[in-house]
Structures are given as structure tokens and as C-alpha cells.
């Protein structure tokens, strides 16, 4: 799971902590991704804090079948490197806590050895340089394609290093969260 709460500071952190607690309380039900987001949206909606919402991407992995399922609630679209190409998993959805009856699409795929899944926050693609240009999803996609032979840890380090070089180590304006899964 990857999530991002609107706003900054203590209130946003508390809202995030509530969301983590909700997810942990739902986890024993072993819900599929779309159902997990629907249930989280319902509970987060009951705890509504004026003006607050959160984006989330949730996935499940069945190791024996090599099956990935993923659903998205307004988070940056994850990337999938498969068969030599890296592209977006085209899933969108309403953020949690905005519309009470929101539903979510779910996408599934069987993955092979060497396939890579990249979850990332908007702070990564929207990191900007001194000219105001964004790092962008295209650069991120290209990096994954060029460096797909690295381990998940090495690839995440390389991506974060490239973003830092691009921004010339400017102070962060948003979080940069990156989760990389590489199938063995």
C-alpha cells in the first residue's frame, strides 16, 4: 500500500495514522484491492475531517500464482516493467474520504521473473529543477527501462539519486516516496 494525505503538519500526520489503523483493522479480512479501498473509503468517510482526504494505491500479491492485483484511489499511477517496456498501470479513482459511495476498478496481471512494479508518490514525478521543470513520469519510466537489471534496492537508490541530481539537491517541497517490487 502507498498513501498520501492532503495537507501538511500534525493534522495530516494524525489523519495518516488513522488511515493506517483502518487498513490494519481491515487486513485480516483479506480483501481484494478494490474492496479494500471501498471499505477504507467508507470508514475514512465516517471519520471525516473537514477538508482532509487521502490518496492510496493498494495491491495484493499471490506468490504461488505470481498474480498481482492493484486498485487506485487517486494516487500516482504505478509503473510496470514487463517484457522490456515500462508503462503506467492506467488506474484512477476518487481519493478516500471525498465521496461516500465511491467504487474502485481493479486490475490484475501474472508477473514473470524480472518484472518490476514501481509505486511512487507525486512528490517524485513533480520534483522540479531550477527552471521549474518537473522530473516527470517519462524520466522515471526511462530510468526503469535503462536500469531494469539492478536489484529493487539498487534501482530505488538510482532513481532517488537521479531525482536529487535533477533538482540540484533543492529543498524538498513534497515527500518522495518510492516502493519497488522486483519479481524473483
Amino acid at each position: 500500500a502507498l498513501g498520501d494525505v492532503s495537507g501538511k503538519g500534525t493534522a495530516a500526520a494524525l489523519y495518516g495514522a488513522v488511515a493506517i489503523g483502518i487498513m490494519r483493522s481491515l487486513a485480516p479480512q483479506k480483501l481484494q484491492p478494490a474492496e479494500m479501498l471501498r471499505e477504507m473509503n467508507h470508514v475514512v468517510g465516517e471519520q471525516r475531517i473537514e477538508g482532509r482526504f487521502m490518496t492510496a494505491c493498494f495491491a495484493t500479491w499471490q506468490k504461488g500464482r505470481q498474480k498481482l492485483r492493484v486498485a487506485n484511489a487517486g494516487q500516482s499511477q504505478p509503473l510496470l516493467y514487463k517484457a522490456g517496456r515500462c508503462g503506467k498501470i492506467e488506474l484512477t479513482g476518487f481519493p478516500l474520504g471525498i465521496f461516500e459511495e465511491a467504487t474502485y476498478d481493479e486490475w490484475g496481471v501474472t508477473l514473470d521473473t524480472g518484472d518490476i512494479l514501481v509505486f511512487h508518490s507525486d512528490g517524485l514525478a513533480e520534483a522540479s529543477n531550477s527552471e521549474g521543470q518537473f522530473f516527470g513520469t517519462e524520466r522515471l519510466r526511462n530510468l526503469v527501462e535503462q536500469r531494469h537489471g539492478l536489484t529493487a534496492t539498487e534501482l530505488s537508490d538510482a532513481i532517488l539519486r537521479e531525482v536529487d541530481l535533477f533538482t540540484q539537491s533543492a529543498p524538498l517541497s513534497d515527500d518522495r516516496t518510492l516502493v519497488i517490487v522486483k519479481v524473483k
Side-chain angles (χ1 to χ4, degrees):
L2 178 82
D4 195 3
V5 176
S6 65
K8 302 200 182 314
T10 306
L14 287 172
Y15 198 63
V18 167
I20 290 167
I22 292 167
M23 184 176 288
R24 285 187 175 155
S25 72
L26 292 171
Q29 296 178 39
K30 298 186 188 276
L31 302 171
Q32 292 298 332
E35 185 65 13
M36 173 63 94
L37 292 180
R38 191 182 74 70
E39 288 295 320
M40 283 191 66
N41 183 61
H42 178 73
V43 178
V44 166
E46 289 175 348
Q47 309 293 322
R48 183 161 298 167
I49 300 171
E50 192 62 38
R52 295 275 177 205
F53 63 90
M54 86 174 287
T55 60
C57 192
F58 186 80
T60 59
W61 173 248
Q62 291 177 307
K63 186 177 179 182
R65 295 177 57 209
Q66 302 271 101
K67 180 80 174 183
L68 172 79
R69 294 183 191 275
V70 62
N72 195 354
Q75 185 56 261
S76 298
Q77 294 172 330
L79 302 177
L80 176 63
Y81 174 84
K82 186 170 183 58
R85 298 195 47 113
C86 186
K88 288 182 185 178
I89 297 176
E90 300 283 345
L91 282 172
T92 58
F94 289 109
L96 305 175
I98 294 179
F99 297 110
E100 190 174 321
E101 298 302 318
T103 58
Y104 299 92
D105 293 330
E106 186 173 294
W107 182 77
V109 65
T110 300
L111 298 178
D112 300 309
T113 299
D115 290 349
I116 301 169
L117 182 66
V118 180
F119 292 105
H120 61 95
S121 66
D122 58 353
L124 202 66
E126 294 174 4
S128 60
N129 63 14
S130 59
E131 286 111 41
Q133 298 169 321
F134 288 142
F135 186 78
T137 305
E138 190 65 23
R139 277 188 182 87
L140 188 53
R141 259 185 5 83
N142 289 335
L143 272 169
V144 173
E145 285 180 358
Q146 293 164 3
R147 306 215 179 138
H148 68 273
L150 299 175
T151 67
T153 301
E154 291 167 341
L155 181 57
S156 64
D157 289 345
I159 290 169
L160 293 172
R161 200 170 33 254
E162 288 294 323
V163 172
D164 198 43
L165 286 170
F166 179 81
T167 62
Q168 300 164 339
S169 301
L172 296 179
S173 61
D174 197 0
D175 65 281
R176 293 181 188 163
T177 305
L178 180 64
V179 177
I180 295 184
V181 177
K182 186 169 185 179
V183 180
K184 289 185 177 183

